[in-house]
Amino acid sequence: MPVIELVTPIHAPIERCFDLARSVEVHLAGAGETGERAVAGVVRGLLGPGDEVTWRARHFGVWQLLTSRITVFERPRRFRDSMTRGAFARFDHDHLFEADADRTIMRDRFDFTSPLGPLGRLADALVLTRYMRGFLVERNRMLREIAESDRWSELLANR
């Protein structure tokens, strides 16, 4: 089972980074290439304990639905979203935050299992792990850009 781990330093307070990471709008801003939309559950604002969201997006030319639930929530240190329905056999995405002087260290740990046994493992090795890493890197780039600018206040104004 593949595991993707990323470390993203952000020059912003930990609470801001944590809240932006659970923002539907920030997720969508970082997923522009896929045409992603939130179509059920929490479709805007901040995700919290037990919340579910269903995303509709185009990956590899195919429109897909994926539902995830917030299964761990310890503000502002960590939360986990776990797939409840979708194309993967399973996934857990841990979002971890650590204050470090005038910045926050955001860590992602995305571990997943593809369907189809040996064929899924081959797809992981050839394409999917690299694709998912790129998707997460872009999401984190957008989150950092928002957190380090004035745009964050617009997105978190009504929390």
Side-chain angles (χ1 to χ4, degrees):
M1 116 180 89
V3 176
I4 299 168
E5 294 184 336
L6 300 174
V7 177
T8 307
I10 304 172
H11 290 279
I14 190 171
E15 293 84 1
R16 181 188 308 167
C17 296
F18 183 90
D19 288 346
L20 289 171
R22 61 192 183 103
S23 164
V24 171
E25 289 80 6
V26 172
H27 178 90
L28 294 174
E33 300 268 325
T34 66
E36 191 156 5
R37 292 185 304 133
V39 296
V42 177
V43 297
R44 61 178 189 260
L46 303 181
L47 296 162
D51 284 347
E52 283 196 356
V53 59
T54 299
W55 308 101
R56 181 177 187 269
R58 187 179 56 251
H59 295 281
F60 302 107
V62 177
W63 286 100
Q64 302 174 34
L65 292 174
L66 184 141
T67 301
S68 63
R69 176 183 296 132
I70 303 299
T71 55
V72 174
F73 191 87
E74 299 169 15
R75 186 177 192 274
R77 300 284 175 215
R78 72 185 203 122
F79 70 93
R80 171 185 291 160
D81 58 283
S82 301
M83 187 194 78
T84 60
R85 288 183 299 281
F88 293 94
R90 57 160 290 286
F91 83 61
D92 290 303
H93 183 180
D94 289 300
H95 307 256
L96 308 161
F97 303 84
E98 178 185 336
D100 180 39
D102 66 339
R103 65 184 186 164
T104 299
I105 305 300
M106 183 174 73
R107 298 178 193 280
D108 289 88
R109 185 177 192 279
F110 184 83
D111 93 79
F112 65 97
T113 303
S114 294
L116 305 176
L119 288 176
R121 287 190 295 277
L122 181 62
D124 291 344
L126 295 176
V127 178
L128 194 54
T129 301
R130 182 178 33 220
Y131 178 82
M132 290 307 301
R133 176 180 294 279
F135 182 82
L136 294 171
V137 164
E138 176 57 21
R139 177 194 160 278
N140 289 358
R141 185 197 65 74
M142 180 61 66
L143 191 151
R144 179 175 51 219
E145 180 180 302
I146 292 168
E148 292 177 349
S149 74
D150 292 332
R151 290 178 54 201
W152 70 269
S153 60
E154 300 164 21
L155 294 167
L156 299 181
N158 298 323
R159 56 177 187 157

